Amino acid sequence: MRTTHPFDDDHLREECAIFGIYGSGDAAAHAALGLHALQHRGQEAAGIVATGNGQFHAHRELGLVGDIFGEENVIKQLEGTMAIGHTRYSTTGRPNLRNVQPLFADLEFGGFAVAHNGNLTNAVSIREELVCRGCIFQSTTDTEIIIHLMATSSGTVIDRMVDALRQVDGAYSIVAVAEECVIGCRDPHGVRPLVLGRLGDAYLLASESCAFDIVGAVYVRDIDPGEMVVLNGEGVHSHRPFPPAPKRFCIFEYIYFSRPDSVIEGLSVYQARKRIGGELAREAPVDADLVVPVPDSGVPSAIGYAHETSLPYEMGIIRNHYVGRTFIEPSSEIRHLGVKLKHNANRAHIEGKRVVLVDDSIVRGTTSSKIVEMVRDAGAKEVHMRISSPPTTHSCFYGVDTPEREQLLASKLDIKGMRELIGCDSLAFISMDGLYRAMGVEGRDPSAPAFCDACFSGDYPIRLTDLDDGATGRQLSLLAEIA
Ligand code: SF4
């Protein structure tokens, strides 16, 4: 689906983070700090729009949040007591500034800016209709559709936003700012996260609660699926403008995307990962000497696995945290170094040992085979891989960067075939029921699963209108083919 850079560590990638704040004298600074805490959800570009006196100020750039908003002057120019922000990740060729959010427009009722995490699955169809009606698009994001739908609607900003969102399919968590309020909204299935926080008299919205900790705010609650909240001078107003729908929160947020220090719906992400590791150990124990995580994402589940089996836990692989943008377009001379730029085996701890290697997922399998080889080269006697998600067999169309289905290893091979390709002595994934049990649900009810698990099950909770219409097989969030 997307091209990935040569040092991609074979994970699915969350594409965006959002943040919003109402009623702060330092709204833009708080937004920048919040986005910094959410940097793991998107490293390509970031933007903030601030307002408070009818004037809107925007700054959007390619790069990391700290680099963009680290300059005091940049923040100073973003005056106002309200702000929204966004970080973005994408791998479609060269990044494009016009797609960096928040998007801003002057509408009939005044200024309006919006930022979105997710993917609208009927974006191509709606865009074609809007273009036929004379709308001129400034970006190639699906998010801009919301602005055009609002521009062609009527009533208050809330009326228009509800009208626009009723016309779109897909997964979305949205923050928006108008002249007198900040708005937050989750799609009716609540696929992507959005949480509400408080800092003194100010209210905040963020993709994850870790963004509140950094500014000293407290987590209040999750925004409910299908809920729209309006933050203004009178506090927080909750609206339920959509027909009720089954809740289908993305289970991969607990497995990998969210930061371990975030809390989602009262459950600590770190705790959830440890529980998944424990469940995995009960389902797939192995005679071994020690448990080693593939850092960083495999760490909490490896701790859970080690705890359940009473095996020693060691950092048998060390991660270099400074690999990043420097190598996005590497020369062919260094490309062959591949995985070793990011991970190195800690020989002193694994030589002569039977190692249980715990990772969160296998996407293409490219990194797993190299890590197994590296651990063997460092002297491990046996390498047993344990994966804290079920096999990833399907692409995500709800705001996560995913390879096309045929590139997903588990869509082509059974466990035996994957084990042979990766080169480990044994391979096991947590079962779907085991994963649900770790989430505190008594197994997966196929007629009403408690989560979105489509990348493991192919059971897509929201219709894929554009895909079904044959518009494109690509995820549509960036509409790159239209660019
Ligand atoms: Fe999350 Fe997978 Fe559903 Fe995408 S398909 S929203 S990654 S569970």
Side-chain angles (χ1 to χ4, degrees), residues 191-192 250-252 257 396 398 400 452-455:
V191 175
R192 303 256 71 88
C250 168
I251 204 163
F252 228 130
F257 300 139
C396 175
Y398 303 138
V400 170
C452 176
D453 53 27
C455 46

Side-chain angles (χ1 to χ4, degrees), residues 71-371:
E71 296 251 345
E72 207 186 331
N73 283 344
V74 173
I75 294 292
K76 265 192 187 154
Q77 286 161 15
L78 296 170
E79 289 173 16
T81 52
M82 299 181 276
I84 62 167
H86 187 264
T87 64
R88 176 191 143 173
Y89 170 82
S90 98
T91 53
T92 41
R94 289 189 68 76
N96 194 335
L97 192 57
R98 68 183 172 141
N99 285 333
V100 180
Q101 299 188 29
L103 301 181
F104 172 80
D106 269 314
L107 301 180
E108 197 185 336
F109 57 79
F112 179 79
V114 62
H116 165 212
N117 170 211
N119 184 59
L120 306 181
T121 54
N122 60 349
V124 169
S125 321
I126 291 184
R127 184 180 170 119
E128 281 168 3
E129 281 172 31
L130 288 166
V131 168
C132 285
R133 281 159 53 190
C135 293
I136 298 167
F137 279 77
Q138 303 294 319
S139 78
T140 57
T141 68
D142 54 353
T143 313
E144 194 179 347
I145 286 158
I146 295 167
I147 289 181
H148 287 283
L149 289 173
M150 287 179 68
T152 50
S153 184
S154 59
T156 65
V157 58
I158 307 299
D159 295 338
R160 288 168 186 251
M161 198 158 162
V162 169
D163 184 38
L165 293 177
R166 281 184 180 153
Q167 296 176 61
V168 302
D169 296 331
Y172 54 82
S173 283
I174 288 174
V175 290
V177 62
E179 289 185 3
E180 288 173 359
C181 61
V182 168
I183 304 162
C185 189
R186 280 178 87 191
D187 73 74
H189 294 278
V191 175
R192 303 256 71 88
L194 188 63
V195 286
L196 176 70
R198 185 160 191 176
L199 176 64
D201 292 335
Y203 284 98
L204 300 83
L205 294 162
S207 295
E208 293 180 40
S209 62
C210 65
F212 299 153
D213 298 335
I214 194 171
V215 296
V218 292
Y219 162 85
V220 175
R221 66 177 177 88
D222 289 56
I223 304 303
D224 286 336
E227 182 182 10
M228 178 180 282
V229 288
V230 180
L231 318 182
N232 61 20
E234 290 153 21
V236 179
H237 305 262
S238 172
H239 304 258
R240 312 269 171 174
F242 310 110
K247 189 170 160 184
R248 299 291 288 274
F249 180 63
C250 168
I251 204 163
F252 228 130
E253 292 279 353
Y254 282 113
I255 297 167
Y256 173 67
F257 300 139
S258 292
R259 244 172 66 161
D261 51 340
S262 287
V263 174
I264 305 171
E265 300 198 332
L267 178 57
S268 139
V269 172
Y270 179 80
Q271 205 55 35
R273 286 180 194 164
K274 267 181 75 180
R275 277 166 34 180
I276 294 171
E279 197 64 43
L280 182 59
R282 283 189 285 280
E283 287 188 346
V286 60
D287 209 6
D289 300 315
L290 81 162
V291 178
V292 168
V294 177
D296 292 328
S297 50
V299 169
S301 45
I303 292 172
Y305 192 101
H307 185 79
E308 182 64 27
T309 54
S310 300
L311 286 170
Y313 168 93
E314 296 288 358
M315 293 302 286
I317 297 174
I318 304 301
R319 179 179 164 186
N320 183 334
H321 286 91
Y322 304 98
V323 177
R325 308 189 65 78
T326 318
F327 292 122
I328 279 177
E329 291 182 42
S331 65
S332 56
E333 292 80 52
I334 59 166
R335 193 170 291 157
H336 74 279
L337 295 174
V339 73
K340 287 189 179 169
L341 286 168
K342 191 163 179 184
H343 293 115
N344 191 30
N346 193 355
R347 178 179 283 273
H349 286 281
I350 56 182
E351 193 162 19
K353 300 280 177 37
R354 296 168 301 165
V355 174
V356 184
L357 212 51
V358 181
D359 204 353
D360 59 88
S361 57
I362 293 178
V363 181
R364 296 180 194 79
T366 45
T367 304
S368 304
S369 53
K370 286 174 189 153
I371 286 183

